[in-house]
Structure formats: structure tokens, C-alpha cells
Amino acid sequence: MIFRIFLLLLLLLLLPWAIGKIRMPMCLMKKLFPTHSDYYRQGDHIIGGILSQVISMLDLESFQQPPHPWYIKYFMLVPKNYQHVLALVFAVNKINQDPKLLPNITLGFRIYESFFSPRKTYESSFTLLSSRYLMIPNYNCDTQDKLSAVIGGLGSETSIQMATILGIYKIPQISYGSFHAMLSDKFQFPSFYRMVPNEIPQSLGLVQLMQHFKWNWIGLIASDDDSGEKFVQTLKPMLTKNSICIAFTERAPHVPSSSMDHAFREQHFKLYSSITQTKAEVIVVYGDTDSLLGLKLFLHASYQTALIPIGKVWITTAQWDFTSYIALNRWTLKPFHGALSFAVHTKEVPGFRDFLRTLNPYQPQGDIFIQRFWHTVFNCSIPYAGLTIKGGRNCSGKEELESLPGSDFEIKMSGQSYSIYNGVYAVAHALHALYSSKSKKEAMGKGHLLELQNIQSWELHPFLKNVRFNNSAGDEVYFDENGESSAGYDILNWIVFPNDSFIKVKVGHVEPRAPVGQEFTINEAAIVWNSRFNQTVPRSRCTDSCRPGYVRTVQEWEPLCCYNCAPCPEGTISNQTDADHCDRCPEDQYPNKDQDKCIPKFMDFLSYEEPLGFVLASFALLFSLLTALVLGMFIKHRDTPIVRANNRELSYVLLFSLLLCFLCSLVFIGQPGRVTCLLRQTAFGVIFSVSVSSVMAKTITVVLAFKATKPGASMRKWLGRRLSGSIVVSCSLIQVGICAVWLGTAPPFPDLDMKSEAGHILVQCNEGSNTAFYCVLGYMGFLAIVSFTVAFLARKLPGTFNEAKFITFSMLVFCSVWVSFIPTYLSTKGKYMVAVEIFSILASSAGLLGCIFIPKCYIIVMRPDQSTCLGLQGRNHIASAPNTALYVNYISKSVARCQPGQKPPPASPPVPQKA
């Protein structure tokens, strides 16, 4: 055991010596046996590139002998991907020309081809870690070439292969086209960065796009791999949350291995059935260029055979560039006319077009790709490079790239090329920050060469994570906490012409960094739809939308998007299409006829402008005028016996109170306010109490006067003004006390009743205390009943002097009005309730005025002869009631002041008295 340990230590000591001995032969060997060609430019720092522009078919290995270096069976060029190489070269050139960025330091590059193959990606990754001409990992004779970072790869699979190798050496890798979620795992891939944004904003953008156009019934086709499965599992909850349903979910078919590939035929038939049998007009496609190659073949074949209508709205994700292989097999693009696609954000980079114009296949300057690209896209020969076309012309080198169709090459920098351009600049800014750091500044005095030798690629990581700059196009570039780009997505509209040429028009964008509510924008007017839709927005719904005023009702066992429409319940509205529920209007509004909006309620109160209010106000003024005339007439004829005989002072009080009763009814008309609400019922109650108590005082005075005229009557001392005044004042003060308590405890106030009548707000006075209100009415009723009773008992007194009959009838009218008032008042609302009370006030007041004073006015005006001493005294002799003479003596005191010269009429014979 000790001997084995000794041999192991000896081997470790001799290993550096052995490596030094064989170093020179190995460096010579690499020139004799080149294993990999690259596009190389020397520099102080090398940026590696593993890009994808050639599709290869590799020989299968038997594993019985070492593989041959050239094991590619045949290959096909994807010419538009050559722009990726040019973007990297252009970025390095611009950085080297910038005196402020990495001054006195030159960037170089080594660009390899991945051939879209994991196997070749592995080989290219190992080659970057080795010398240029000999692939021996961990051994590099080119000490002057310091590999700082690697740009690549295009797809998720190649990116994962690269990250597995480069992560061991902690070399920063910046992908320009991989969206796989697994690569966000910093524990598994700590050295991986990507210049493409996270997929979550893209998924949110898809949902917002559906919501904008009100598409809720869509198809979904995803690549048949882990990425496709994860996309479906991520997108489905988002769609469901926003009431968007998936009509079908299919996997993209694989490319058939032969014409008899039964699996492809089954997938073809299943996909054909799903697309043709659905009402969905929108189909979302997810996958990268390779995984969706079979879908593109399927669409091409279906279009050529006219099996599937081409009038669908295809929405593709940023992972799929469906024009990549068009130049190779000339598959048609017509099914994609009017399609919408998400793409990694890009901008016009200044100087890139001018750079493209300088390209010349006869001056490759180390570019191993340009000659084959030129030969392929321009279909010409480059003899000295061995690229010839039988019977074809030779390339002049002056061909213009602008003349190429977009499927072959695009002059504008694509999203992937833009990501490469930003990735190179991110590495340059990280290097610049590294050189500017405090530790490197201290080493500057030791010499430039020493500094370059001391920088290792792993030292770039903290600077790459914090890099933040504005590129030449004006975009801010930085990585988030997951090492992903902060850029958003552009939404492109594809316009395909009959010759299969196309243009892409930017119609919107998804910007995760934008303020809330502005993350998604779309210019609907700029979109060109498929010709089948006649330039109207396509409808992709399971059922027609429910218009405003209706609510969705989901059918049992049906998807959420397949629903019926039911009218909103009464009193509710829905003001949007496809409403999930109906809402009640605010209290001051009510639904319109269509129940799709709320309109303000009408303020409803008894006003002077409406007929009812105008008529009641007119009657109130008319009765007020009539009362004023009667009062004026009584004042004018105040010394006449008819006025004096009917208690002149009480008549004045009664007439004045009736005048106020008529006028107080006007307070009930108009919009209620705080003051009017306080005055309405209290003023009405007090004034009416004065009126009724005056009537009661008149009646009691008549009865007491009749009884006091009897010989030895003790009531004689109660007669006179003191009695009637005491009755009026005391009865009125009781009502004033009730009203004072009412106003002090729960005063009336303006109130809005918004529920009693639909479409109206009843502006009314809330009585504050219904008990107090009915106490006021009850007390007036009590006075009226007392007056009625006393008047009824005094109805048989002599008719010439007795008002009891008229008071009895007036109180009968008064009580009838207010008894009928109560049920009517309680059964009405709003202005009609007010009108009922005004009518009751006018009717009862008019009853008192008419029954008590109109007969007297008739005598004064029409029969003035009966309003004299002679007339009254003559009529006294015809009284038929017993003891009339005694009452006549009392009344005669009121008419004792007759005018001189008036003689009484001759006496009539006495009327015999009954036993």
C-alpha cells in the first residue's frame, strides 16, 4: 500500500516535466491535423461564438473504430442565419473602434458552427477550450488568446450542451435564442446568461392579445417536447383565469422519415381534424424552428392540396422563425398571411446596413462562411473556392443583399442578431468594469501584459451580473437576478404576397418594465388580416357575446366559454359584453330600459311648475284672497249688528287664522328645505289650533250666554272677551307646547327616498317623530270634536243669533276631511302625499270659511236690511224656542247702539207658550 502511494506521488511530480517535453510536438501536430475550421480574429480577449446556420446529416457511428474528422454526410445552409455571424463581427468592430470602451484593449473572436447538432455543439465547445487546430481539452498553446466569454446557442438543446461543458470552467455563456426554463436554474447552470427575456411576459402578452380582440375560443399547437409541455401547463391557468378556453391542444407532428411514415400520417390526420372541425379562428403555436418543421411541412402540404382553409389567424411565439427553412425547400408562406408573431425586441442599429454593403466574397478576411452564403443566395459560382454551378455565372461580388427575399436574408437586424449584438457589448462593458475596478488599477503599474495574463474568464461574472448600459440604438441593456435580459417582445404582423415574399410590420409590444397598465400595447388599425376576414377583426368565440344588459349563464358540462345569455334581473344592469354578473345602480340612479347603463333618478317633489302644484297653489291664493275680502268686509262693517252680534273679535281672529291656514299650504309646495320642513307641520298645527279653538270659543260663548241669562245663573261672570280670549290662548298654547317638544327632540328634516319609486328620488320632509306628528293631528281632532259636540248641543237656540248650526256643519266637514285624510295620507308617497295634506288643509279651511262666514256675508251684501237694529229686533219676535226672550235681552246688549231715529217695527202678537 505504501509502495503504491509512493508511485502515485512520483507520477504527479514527473507529469509537468512530461507535458513540457511533448508541448512542442503537439503544437506542431495541430497544424498537420486540423480538426475544426473557424472564423477567427486575434485579440487581447477572445469572444467565442457557437452559432447555427448549417443543417447537417451525420453518419451514424459503429463504435468499432475511431470516428473520422469529417463525418458530415451532407449539409444545407440556412442563409438568413448568416446575419448572426455578421452581428457578432459588427459588434466587435464597433467596440474596437470605440476609444472610450476598453481603450488600448482589442477584442477578437472565434466563431464555430454547431450544425444544429448536439454532437457538433459538444465538439465546438471543447474546441473553444483547446488550441485552434487541435482539440485537446485543458490544453491550449495559444497563450495570447484569452477566452473571456462565449455567445451561443440558438436553440435550447444546443444551449444546454454548451452550458454543461462551459459551466465546468465557469466561462460565461450568453445565449441568444434559448427560452428553456431549466436554464434559469442558477444552481445547475451558474455561468449561463441569455439575451432573450423570460417566457412569462410572452405568455401574459398572449393572454392580453386575446382579451384585446375578445377571442375566447382558441386552438393550441405545441412542440412535442418538454418545452412544449411546460408552455401548455403555464399558459392554460392564465387563459382559464381570464375566461379564455382552449378548443383543442395538439402536438406538432415530427418530420416524416419516409413517405410511408405511419406515425406522421396519423398525426397529420389528427391535426387536420382538429383544425377543420373547430369554430376557433385563432391558433397559437409554440415551439422552436426545429421542433415545428413537421408542422410547417403539414401546412405546406395542406395548402397545396387545398385540404385546410387558409383563413386562420396564426399566433406564433418568439421561439419559432417559420421562414428559416423556406429558402431550402421553397415551402409556401401563404397560410401565414395576416399572422401575428411575438419576437424578441429589436431596433435599427446605426451603421449595420453600411457594414453589410461592405461585404465581398472575394475579400473574406478570414470569414469562412461568406463564400458559401454568397454562392447559395445569389446562385452563382466562386471558382477558386470550389463553389461552382454548372452552366451558371460567376459571382461578381457586387450583388446587393437588399435584393434578396426576406426568407433568404434580412437587411434589418433580426431579434436574434440584436441579442448577439447586445451580448457582445455586455461582455465588453463587463471587461471594462473589471479593468476599472480597484484591484486592477493597483496592478496597472506592473505592465499591460501582466494584467492581461491575470484576468480569468470567471472573474467576469460579478461584473456581468451588474452590467447596465444603453446601446447605440438607445435601448437599456442589463440582466435580471436570473441572468435573463430585461428586454420585452415585439408583436409583428406578417404580410405575405402572392410570390411568397413577405414583410413584417411591428404592430405592438410587450414591455414588462413599463408602468402598470402600459405593459401591453397594440395598434389594431395597422394589422392586415387574412383576406378571408375582409379586413374586419376575426371572431374566435364558442358562442356570440352577451351584449350589455345580459349576463352569462354557463351551461352544465360545457366549457366556461360556451354559455347562454340571460337578461339581467329587474333593477340591475350590465354595462359590458359577456358580463359575469349584473350590478345594482347607485341609490341616486336607476337602470334604463335596456338595462345597460344607470341614469340619474328624477328629483320628485311637488313644484309650482307642474299642474297639480299650480292648481293647489292657485286655490290657496284664491281662498286667501277670499278670506282677506271677508275680513275686510267684517272690518268695514264692524259696527253693524250682524258683525257685533257674532262676537266681532273672535271673528277677526278666526278669519286671520284661516288666512294663515290657506297661506301655510304654500309652504308645502316646492323643494323641501331645512327651514320649510321645520315650519310645515308646526305652523300648520299651531294655526289650525287657533282656528279650531276660535270656533270652539264662539260655540262655548253662545252656550254660556244662553245659560247665563237665566235668573240667578252663576255663569254670568264668565261672559265677555275674557272667556273667549282665554279659550283661544290656552288651547293654542297647548299645541305650541306639543310642537316645541317635537322640535326639541326630533325635528323634521329634508330626506331623500330613493327606493319607493323606480326612477325617482322622492324629496320629502321626514317628520322626525311620527308620534309627535300624530299628537299634533290628534290634538286638533280633539278640539274639533269638542267644538262639534258643543255646537251640536246648541243647535236649537234661536236661529237669528245662533251660529251653532253653521259651526256644527263646518265641524262636520272639518272632521270628515281629516278622518279621510289619515288613510289616504298613509297610502301615498312623495308629492301625492303632500298634495293630500294640502287638499285637506284647503278643504277644511274652506269648510270653516264657507259654513260660518258666507251666510253673514250674504246678509251684509245681499240683505243689508236684515243687518240693522230694526231687522234684528223684528226677527226676535218670531223666535219660537222657550226662554228666547232672555237670550234676546243678552243679544240686545250687542245691538243697543242702534242709530238714532230707527224705530222698531210694530210688535207681533205673542206666541203662546206650551205647558
mmCIF file of all heavy atoms in Angstrom, residues 845-861:
data_model
loop_
_atom_site.group_PDB
_atom_site.id
_atom_site.type_symbol
_atom_site.label_atom_id
_atom_site.label_comp_id
_atom_site.label_asym_id
_atom_site.label_seq_id
_atom_site.Cartn_x
_atom_site.Cartn_y
_atom_site.Cartn_z
ATOM 1 N N SER A 845 -110.260 74.270 5.780
ATOM 2 C CA SER A 845 -110.306 75.722 5.996
ATOM 3 C C SER A 845 -111.448 76.356 5.216
ATOM 4 O O SER A 845 -112.149 77.250 5.718
ATOM 5 C CB SER A 845 -108.965 76.335 5.582
ATOM 6 O OG SER A 845 -107.898 75.791 6.330
ATOM 7 N N ALA A 846 -111.614 75.890 3.981
ATOM 8 C CA ALA A 846 -112.725 76.413 3.177
ATOM 9 C C ALA A 846 -114.068 76.058 3.801
ATOM 10 O O ALA A 846 -115.047 76.831 3.723
ATOM 11 C CB ALA A 846 -112.620 75.870 1.752
ATOM 12 N N GLY A 847 -114.139 74.875 4.421
ATOM 13 C CA GLY A 847 -115.375 74.492 5.102
ATOM 14 C C GLY A 847 -115.706 75.456 6.238
ATOM 15 O O GLY A 847 -116.869 75.861 6.408
ATOM 16 N N LEU A 848 -114.702 75.798 7.027
ATOM 17 C CA LEU A 848 -114.944 76.763 8.114
ATOM 18 C C LEU A 848 -115.345 78.123 7.560
ATOM 19 O O LEU A 848 -116.277 78.768 8.064
ATOM 20 C CB LEU A 848 -113.678 76.899 8.968
ATOM 21 C CG LEU A 848 -113.272 75.668 9.799
ATOM 22 C CD1 LEU A 848 -111.953 75.920 10.520
ATOM 23 C CD2 LEU A 848 -114.365 75.304 10.789
ATOM 24 N N LEU A 849 -114.604 78.555 6.527
ATOM 25 C CA LEU A 849 -114.902 79.868 5.951
ATOM 26 C C LEU A 849 -116.301 79.894 5.352
ATOM 27 O O LEU A 849 -117.075 80.847 5.561
ATOM 28 C CB LEU A 849 -113.853 80.203 4.885
ATOM 29 C CG LEU A 849 -114.037 81.535 4.154
ATOM 30 C CD1 LEU A 849 -113.862 82.704 5.123
ATOM 31 C CD2 LEU A 849 -113.049 81.638 2.988
ATOM 32 N N GLY A 850 -116.641 78.872 4.610
ATOM 33 C CA GLY A 850 -117.926 78.867 3.917
ATOM 34 C C GLY A 850 -119.109 78.693 4.838
ATOM 35 O O GLY A 850 -120.145 79.361 4.696
ATOM 36 N N CYS A 851 -118.979 77.794 5.781
ATOM 37 C CA CYS A 851 -120.122 77.491 6.630
ATOM 38 C C CYS A 851 -120.389 78.568 7.677
ATOM 39 O O CYS A 851 -121.533 78.780 8.090
ATOM 40 C CB CYS A 851 -119.920 76.145 7.333
ATOM 41 S SG CYS A 851 -119.895 74.744 6.196
ATOM 42 N N ILE A 852 -119.348 79.231 8.122
ATOM 43 C CA ILE A 852 -119.535 80.200 9.205
ATOM 44 C C ILE A 852 -119.720 81.612 8.675
ATOM 45 O O ILE A 852 -120.596 82.365 9.130
ATOM 46 C CB ILE A 852 -118.346 80.144 10.176
ATOM 47 C CG1 ILE A 852 -118.295 78.769 10.867
ATOM 48 C CG2 ILE A 852 -118.430 81.250 11.237
ATOM 49 C CD1 ILE A 852 -117.106 78.561 11.776
ATOM 50 N N PHE A 853 -118.961 82.009 7.678
ATOM 51 C CA PHE A 853 -118.942 83.421 7.280
ATOM 52 C C PHE A 853 -119.701 83.735 5.995
ATOM 53 O O PHE A 853 -120.110 84.871 5.795
ATOM 54 C CB PHE A 853 -117.490 83.885 7.123
ATOM 55 C CG PHE A 853 -116.728 83.918 8.417
ATOM 56 C CD1 PHE A 853 -115.857 82.893 8.754
ATOM 57 C CD2 PHE A 853 -116.913 84.953 9.319
ATOM 58 C CE1 PHE A 853 -115.167 82.920 9.940
ATOM 59 C CE2 PHE A 853 -116.226 84.990 10.516
ATOM 60 C CZ PHE A 853 -115.348 83.955 10.835
ATOM 61 N N ILE A 854 -119.865 82.790 5.133
ATOM 62 C CA ILE A 854 -120.568 83.091 3.890
ATOM 63 C C ILE A 854 -122.019 83.524 4.137
ATOM 64 O O ILE A 854 -122.509 84.491 3.533
ATOM 65 C CB ILE A 854 -120.509 81.894 2.921
ATOM 66 C CG1 ILE A 854 -119.048 81.669 2.483
ATOM 67 C CG2 ILE A 854 -121.388 82.124 1.694
ATOM 68 C CD1 ILE A 854 -118.407 82.849 1.798
ATOM 69 N N PRO A 855 -122.763 82.860 5.050
ATOM 70 C CA PRO A 855 -124.137 83.349 5.309
ATOM 71 C C PRO A 855 -124.155 84.799 5.806
ATOM 72 O O PRO A 855 -125.026 85.588 5.433
ATOM 73 C CB PRO A 855 -124.646 82.385 6.373
ATOM 74 C CG PRO A 855 -123.861 81.150 6.177
ATOM 75 C CD PRO A 855 -122.494 81.607 5.774
ATOM 76 N N LYS A 856 -123.204 85.169 6.664
ATOM 77 C CA LYS A 856 -123.167 86.538 7.169
ATOM 78 C C LYS A 856 -122.819 87.517 6.055
ATOM 79 O O LYS A 856 -123.364 88.640 5.982
ATOM 80 C CB LYS A 856 -122.148 86.630 8.296
ATOM 81 C CG LYS A 856 -122.508 85.756 9.501
ATOM 82 C CD LYS A 856 -121.438 85.802 10.549
ATOM 83 C CE LYS A 856 -121.851 84.969 11.760
ATOM 84 N NZ LYS A 856 -122.113 83.572 11.460
ATOM 85 N N CYS A 857 -121.890 87.089 5.207
ATOM 86 C CA CYS A 857 -121.534 87.951 4.073
ATOM 87 C C CYS A 857 -122.740 88.129 3.143
ATOM 88 O O CYS A 857 -122.941 89.210 2.557
ATOM 89 C CB CYS A 857 -120.367 87.365 3.318
ATOM 90 S SG CYS A 857 -118.811 87.391 4.229
ATOM 91 N N TYR A 858 -123.513 87.096 3.032
ATOM 92 C CA TYR A 858 -124.710 87.179 2.186
ATOM 93 C C TYR A 858 -125.664 88.241 2.733
ATOM 94 O O TYR A 858 -126.225 89.051 1.999
ATOM 95 C CB TYR A 858 -125.388 85.817 2.111
ATOM 96 C CG TYR A 858 -126.713 85.853 1.396
ATOM 97 C CD1 TYR A 858 -126.769 85.875 -0.003
ATOM 98 C CD2 TYR A 858 -127.906 85.869 2.128
ATOM 99 C CE1 TYR A 858 -127.993 85.916 -0.650
ATOM 100 C CE2 TYR A 858 -129.128 85.900 1.475
ATOM 101 C CZ TYR A 858 -129.170 85.923 0.073
ATOM 102 O OH TYR A 858 -130.373 85.975 -0.567
ATOM 103 N N ILE A 859 -125.852 88.257 4.060
ATOM 104 C CA ILE A 859 -126.754 89.251 4.674
ATOM 105 C C ILE A 859 -126.186 90.645 4.509
ATOM 106 O O ILE A 859 -126.905 91.595 4.177
ATOM 107 C CB ILE A 859 -126.963 88.901 6.163
ATOM 108 C CG1 ILE A 859 -127.740 87.583 6.280
ATOM 109 C CG2 ILE A 859 -127.689 90.018 6.892
ATOM 110 C CD1 ILE A 859 -127.887 87.087 7.698
ATOM 111 N N ILE A 860 -124.858 90.776 4.750
ATOM 112 C CA ILE A 860 -124.239 92.096 4.656
ATOM 113 C C ILE A 860 -124.335 92.654 3.243
ATOM 114 O O ILE A 860 -124.631 93.836 3.025
ATOM 115 C CB ILE A 860 -122.786 92.048 5.136
ATOM 116 C CG1 ILE A 860 -122.750 91.740 6.637
ATOM 117 C CG2 ILE A 860 -122.058 93.347 4.854
ATOM 118 C CD1 ILE A 860 -121.369 91.489 7.173
ATOM 119 N N VAL A 861 -124.104 91.787 2.262
ATOM 120 C CA VAL A 861 -124.045 92.253 0.876
ATOM 121 C C VAL A 861 -125.425 92.238 0.224
ATOM 122 O O VAL A 861 -125.851 93.240 -0.378
ATOM 123 C CB VAL A 861 -123.039 91.395 0.075
ATOM 124 C CG1 VAL A 861 -123.041 91.812 -1.390
ATOM 125 C CG2 VAL A 861 -121.645 91.530 0.653
#
